[in-house]
Amino acid sequence: MKKTLAFLVAGIAGIFFVAAIKPTTTTGFVNGTPEIKSISSLAFGPDGILFIGDSKSASVFAINTKDAKKNKAGAVEMKNIDKKIAAALGTEVANITITDMAVNPVSKALYLSVQHADGTPVLLKVNGDQISSFSLKDVNYSSVVLNNAPAEDAKDQRGRPLRISTISDLGYADGKLLVSGLSNHEFSSSFKSISFPFTDKQDEATLEIYHAAHGRYETAAPIKTFTTTEVNGKKYLVASYTCTPLVLFPMDQLKPGTHVKGRTVAEMGAGNTPIDMISLNKGSESFLVMANTARSVSKVDYKNIASFEGTLTEPVKGTAGVNFTLMPDMNKVLQMDKLDDAQVVVLQQKANGDVDLWTANDKNW
Amino acid sequence: MLTYGQPMTRTGNFSIYFIIRLYLLYSLIFFACTFLASCKQNKQEKVSLVWSNDKAVAIAIPEDLLETAGASADGKMLQVRVAKGEEAMLGDLSSKNGHVIFTPLVSLTRGLLYEVVVNNKVIGTVKVPLADAADAPVVLNVYPSSDTLPENLLKIYLRFSTPMREGESLQHVALLDQNSDTVKNVFLDLQPELWNKERTVLTMWLDPGRIKRDLIPNQKLGNPLQKGKQYTLAVANNWKDNRGLSLKEPFTKKFLVGTRDELSPDPKDWQLKIPSAKTNAALVISFGEPLDKFLLDETIRIIQEDNAGVAGRIEVTNQEREILFTPVDNWKPGKYRLVVQSILEDLAGNNLNRPFDRDTKVKTVKTDKPIYERTFEIKQPVSLP
């Protein structure tokens, strides 16, 4: 009897032990003040974890915002947000740059990163008509360094990855943090997939992605922005490049150490740089919505992208390839993020120069 | 009537005494008012700035000033705002040496006046002085520094004397043609911009969509630069640094455009001028063409036979056509390896492994080497008979 009881106690203890060691989203997190030198990119992961891309220290910080209470998405609107932010920071509009914007998918709260002219980064939160500071002092966080230290020993110089000087985009999908980066010296593409929660061991895949133009000219091409989506049960990475093509990669092709060639599905036209991309679902349909420097926000049906096969052999004509719909009144969108499948928060520079925050919904397209 | 030289009458004396007394009284009242006003002014002036590394990082408000204004000494009732603004600034409050310290989220802006407000009443102001114009920033260098550049030039680096404001390069940098007209859509509108950590070196890309063969921007607009033409890179002096100081003067650099460069640099073709042992004379490596200045700084190493790196300094010279490697210690006789990382690029973005855009219909040997090597030998100095 005593033996049975002992086994029972040991068994229960074992269950608790297994439950205790099961990794959670905050496994490996520490309490303290992360040394964040810049905020170039924001993205939310699970359970209110905010990823901060810090280009200056070539690191990504995962911050436990503890902002994980489920809320219903409510439209946000703030006119002249740039002036309000400048006043809250005690400076002039010319001295601030809104570097990114992210909606917490759980709480639906909006986070903005701002850079002051002297380089100081600031994380802000918008609640209704109030701007507040999200302090990065004494937080629960973890981090990952993107640039491996250069090997001191000459024998060990193989496989040295591209050194990122600017994190161009961040994303989180299926337990992986995806990072695209640009170098200020090398013209090349860096795309990393890092397991989250971060571990001491760098569990990451570094991919060199080539862009093949019309099946003829192949170049290393830096990714400016990307998103992930699922079409007909297959997962894709949709990436947009500094040279304006839109390129599709099946996620299962992105394997460590490989040089993956992208399939160009469209070109966004001359003099244009992509800013942000998001995926929206409307009923059974899913769309790619993309903000650009030189044209209005564009929308394209993923089915068209997935079924487009011709580009490796045939030149893409015009901005064709796949059909884009330009959304009316959506020019000069500076930042964009998804509030829910029907609403998108937009930071837009109006014709009179004002920068307004507002929420576009499916009536806008 | 009082006239000069006449004796004073009693009535006259009374009037004068009255006027003098009245004058003294007025003076006293005036003095008292001025004194009180100046006292009040003095208290307002006690709001002061806290400096760190040449930046005004906080505002110090004396606790007695807060108490006089009816606020608690912990400063919880106070607000700080830009003068004539309506929004209160975000920041932290702390206490030090009888002062409440308000630390905003970012440093205070030079030239701006700040108000300390309690119960909607301004109890003190402080102005951040402008930076010394004598320290105005300048453009130190532009790379490539050669005055003839390839038609498919990919990058231009601008190096400044102080950290500059980010995100506004396209407002200040222009490429002018032979008629001094601005050439449109030459540079890529890239946000965030590519700066070094210190924000003193900016990398600007000429639109790669226009350089890459067969892309729509290339077909429609053509290459950004045209062979045989002369251009001027112009940097306007209204670009401000991180202290709000504009560039001391505009900067221009003229260059001529040569032929397209579609070949990868090949270390086999480089010329080496090898110094003698027992000296620390520079090893001179000549490339026969200009290469990327900043990649040259970081991709080349000299390795000894035992695989130990040779400590030394690399100087990029001759308009990025050669480098001088000067060792810290004198050269020892023996065999050495020149090790170059394959990421090294020329001015058109061709690196050691691949040209900028590769024609897949033309059969070329595709390499994927991380490093390229050359060996050389340091010999004993020749002793004269």
Side-chain angles (χ1 to χ4, degrees):
Chain A
M1 181 68 189
K2 267 187 184 172
K3 219 172 182 181
T4 317
L5 193 68
F7 276 126
L8 193 68
V9 169
I12 291 168
I15 290 164
F16 275 106
F17 180 72
V18 169
I21 59 165
K22 188 187 166 198
T24 64
T25 46
T26 54
T27 299
F29 276 50
V30 294
N31 292 322
T33 302
E35 267 196 65
I36 297 174
K37 292 178 182 156
S38 66
I39 306 178
S40 18
S41 208
L42 298 175
F44 269 95
D47 307 329
I49 302 295
L50 176 64
F51 294 111
I52 293 181
D54 176 359
S55 294
K56 293 242 159 33
S57 62
S59 302
V60 178
F61 293 86
I63 309 289
N64 180 7
T65 61
K66 298 178 182 169
D67 178 13
K69 199 177 154 198
K70 206 169 179 181
N71 277 324
K72 214 177 149 198
V76 285
E77 193 173 332
M78 191 180 282
K79 291 208 180 296
N80 291 312
I81 189 172
D82 57 340
K83 291 194 179 93
K84 288 197 170 80
I85 291 171
L89 300 187
T91 189
E92 295 161 319
V93 169
N95 288 324
I96 60 156
T97 310
I98 300 171
T99 52
D100 206 1
M101 181 173 87
V103 175
N104 182 336
V106 183
S107 73
K108 303 296 176 187
L110 181 69
Y111 289 71
L112 288 167
S113 55
V114 175
Q115 181 164 288
H116 182 239
D118 73 357
T120 310
V122 177
L123 184 63
L124 300 172
K125 203 172 160 184
V126 177
N127 281 325
D129 61 349
Q130 293 293 312
I131 295 170
S132 58
S133 158
F134 186 93
S135 175
L136 292 165
K137 282 180 195 158
D138 299 324
V139 288
N140 187 233
Y141 76 99
S142 70
S143 63
V144 64
V145 178
L146 301 175
N147 290 344
N148 300 334
E152 282 305 312
D153 189 338
K155 286 184 288 189
D156 200 10
Q157 287 208 353
R158 291 181 182 276
R160 184 171 156 186
L162 171 82
R163 272 157 307 157
I164 289 170
S165 69
T166 296
I167 294 165
S168 59
D169 207 357
L170 288 179
Y172 177 81
D174 301 332
K176 304 271 184 197
L177 172 72
L178 308 174
V179 188
S180 66
L182 305 176
S183 161
N184 56 348
H185 297 160
E186 302 140 59
F187 189 82
S188 194
S189 186
S190 171
F191 189 84
K192 292 187 180 201
S193 163
I194 304 165
S195 287
F196 180 78
F198 306 136
T199 55
D200 290 340
K201 197 174 128 245
Q202 291 250 330
D203 184 12
E204 64 174 53
T206 305
L207 300 154
E208 203 171 349
I209 294 173
Y210 287 99
H211 151 63
H214 314 148
R216 178 152 189 193
Y217 296 107
E218 178 185 275
T219 46
I223 292 175
K224 179 66 180 64
T225 182
F226 66 85
T227 188
T228 54
T229 192
E230 195 172 317
V231 184
N232 301 330
K234 198 169 167 67
K235 286 181 177 159
Y236 292 93
L237 172 80
V238 189
S240 195
Y241 286 83
T242 52
C243 50
T244 84
L246 189 68
V247 176
L248 197 67
F249 302 91
M251 287 289 270
D252 55 14
Q253 276 188 16
L254 303 178
K255 295 204 174 91
T258 50
H259 289 185
V260 186
K261 277 184 206 171
R263 184 157 65 89
T264 305
V265 290
E267 281 194 54
M268 303 305 296
N272 186 51
T273 311
I275 295 173
D276 259 335
M277 289 201 295
I278 51 174
S279 299
L280 293 182
N281 298 312
K282 198 174 180 181
S284 60
E285 296 175 311
S286 58
F287 298 96
L288 171 73
V289 179
M290 185 169 165
N292 309 287
T293 54
R295 62 195 70 241
S296 187
V297 170
S298 333
K299 188 183 84 163
V300 66
D301 192 329
Y302 268 127
K303 272 189 297 208
N304 296 340
I305 292 183
S307 61
F308 195 78
E309 296 289 350
T311 57
L312 277 173
T313 50
E314 296 298 320
V316 180
K317 296 211 167 47
T319 49
V322 289
N323 290 324
F324 273 82
T325 316
L326 290 179
M327 297 190 191
D329 306 320
M330 296 276 270
N331 280 314
K332 291 213 168 178
V333 166
L334 310 172
Q335 301 289 344
M336 183 174 76
D337 203 13
K338 179 175 168 174
L339 192 58
D340 61 19
D341 272 324
Q343 299 180 93
V344 175
V345 185
V346 168
L347 190 75
Q348 186 181 24
Q349 185 163 40
K350 298 285 182 182
N352 62 2
D354 288 355
V355 174
D356 294 349
L357 181 76
W358 61 285
T359 306
N361 57 39
D362 45 10
K363 288 176 198 143
N364 294 91
W365 50 79
Chain B
M1 184 176 172
L2 189 64
T3 48
Y4 184 76
Q6 284 185 340
M8 279 191 242
T9 62
R10 185 178 162 78
T11 317
N13 280 344
F14 176 78
S15 303
I16 288 163
Y17 284 132
F18 180 76
I19 289 164
I20 290 170
R21 285 180 70 178
L22 202 62
Y23 174 74
L24 284 172
L25 189 66
Y26 277 140
S27 300
L28 201 64
I29 292 167
F30 178 75
F31 175 74
C33 289
T34 316
F35 179 75
L36 286 173
S38 70
C39 284
K40 200 176 169 190
Q41 190 66 38
N42 280 343
K43 278 200 169 175
Q44 282 194 349
E45 282 174 359
K46 282 185 184 169
V47 173
S48 57
L49 297 168
V50 179
W51 293 85
S52 173
N53 295 328
D54 204 29
K55 287 181 193 172
V57 292
I59 293 175
I61 305 126
E63 284 169 0
D64 57 355
L65 182 65
L66 287 168
E67 282 163 8
T68 311
S72 55
D74 58 12
K76 280 188 180 156
M77 291 165 74
L78 75 82
Q79 286 188 336
V80 178
R81 65 191 184 198
V82 175
K84 294 177 186 168
E86 287 171 6
E87 306 269 341
M89 287 162 60
L90 299 172
D92 291 333
L93 291 172
S94 58
S95 192
K96 196 177 177 186
N97 301 334
H99 287 74
V100 169
I101 311 291
F102 174 79
T103 309
L105 297 183
V106 298
S107 61
L108 299 157
T109 302
R110 285 183 177 272
L112 287 190
L113 181 71
Y114 292 88
E115 296 175 343
V116 179
V117 180
V118 172
N119 295 329
N120 287 324
K121 201 176 146 204
V122 177
I123 64 159
T125 60
V126 65
K127 189 172 181 176
V128 186
L130 290 168
D132 185 357
D135 294 339
V138 290
V139 178
L140 295 174
N141 313 87
V142 168
Y143 298 104
S145 52
S146 172
D147 45 17
T148 302
L149 303 175
E151 192 182 37
N152 53 346
L153 173 74
L154 181 64
K155 283 170 283 184
I156 288 177
Y157 297 106
L158 298 173
R159 194 154 79 91
F160 298 89
S161 58
T162 57
M164 299 299 287
R165 278 189 186 172
E166 286 184 47
E168 49 189 68
S169 64
L170 293 186
Q171 295 166 38
H172 309 296
V173 182
L175 194 70
L176 310 174
D177 64 14
Q178 291 168 120
N179 304 319
S180 298
D181 290 330
T182 302
V183 187
K184 288 183 181 164
N185 302 320
V186 170
F187 298 110
L188 186 71
D189 181 4
L190 192 65
Q191 295 295 345
E193 294 170 335
L194 294 172
W195 287 87
N196 65 344
K197 276 186 188 167
E198 294 75 28
R199 283 199 301 151
T200 50
V201 179
L202 171 69
T203 308
M204 296 186 79
W205 280 345
L206 280 79
D207 189 343
R210 290 183 62 181
I211 302 173
K212 289 183 177 185
R213 287 172 291 181
D214 257 14
L215 284 188
I216 291 168
N218 175 263
Q219 290 170 341
K220 279 192 170 174
L221 299 170
N223 205 67
L225 304 176
Q226 303 300 317
K227 187 183 164 187
K229 291 190 175 165
Q230 196 175 49
Y231 295 87
T232 304
L233 178 77
V235 184
N237 63 341
N238 55 356
W239 197 345
K240 289 181 176 172
D241 71 3
N242 64 348
R243 302 161 300 165
L245 286 177
S246 298
L247 282 177
K248 196 173 271 178
E249 55 200 7
F251 177 90
T252 56
K253 175 196 160 65
K254 279 192 166 63
F255 62 91
L256 183 72
V257 172
T259 50
R260 197 176 169 95
D261 180 358
E262 291 174 355
L263 297 174
S264 286
D266 190 346
K268 282 204 302 287
D269 300 336
W270 296 353
Q271 302 291 315
L272 269 58
K273 192 177 156 196
I274 300 161
S276 301
K278 296 180 184 169
T279 71
N280 73 339
L283 167 72
V284 183
I285 306 163
S286 304
F287 315 116
E289 63 171 334
L291 299 180
D292 183 289
K293 147 80 180 148
F294 290 94
L295 285 170
L296 280 172
D297 282 337
E298 60 195 40
T299 55
I300 293 182
R301 297 181 73 210
I302 307 296
I303 310 291
Q304 297 177 66
E305 253 179 316
D306 59 0
N307 281 333
V310 180
R313 183 169 56 86
I314 284 178
E315 190 187 348
V316 181
T317 62
N318 195 7
Q319 297 181 321
E320 299 87 71
R321 285 180 179 85
E322 64 184 27
I323 60 164
L324 311 179
F325 179 87
T326 310
V328 173
D329 302 319
N330 285 351
W331 293 103
K332 291 174 192 155
K335 286 185 176 160
Y336 290 80
R337 282 180 294 139
L338 161 67
V339 178
V340 191
Q341 287 177 51
S342 57
I343 58 170
L344 177 61
E345 292 176 6
D346 62 21
L347 306 188
N350 304 310
N351 75 19
L352 303 191
N353 276 340
R354 47 132 189 97
F356 175 72
D357 59 355
R358 194 173 72 91
D359 189 341
T360 53
K361 291 190 176 168
V362 177
K363 278 202 171 176
T364 49
V365 182
K366 200 178 167 189
T367 51
D368 187 27
K369 289 159 66 173
I371 53 168
Y372 285 71
E373 291 188 354
R374 285 272 305 264
T375 50
F376 61 95
E377 191 175 352
I378 298 278
K379 293 178 181 161
Q380 294 284 8
V382 181
S383 51
L384 294 170

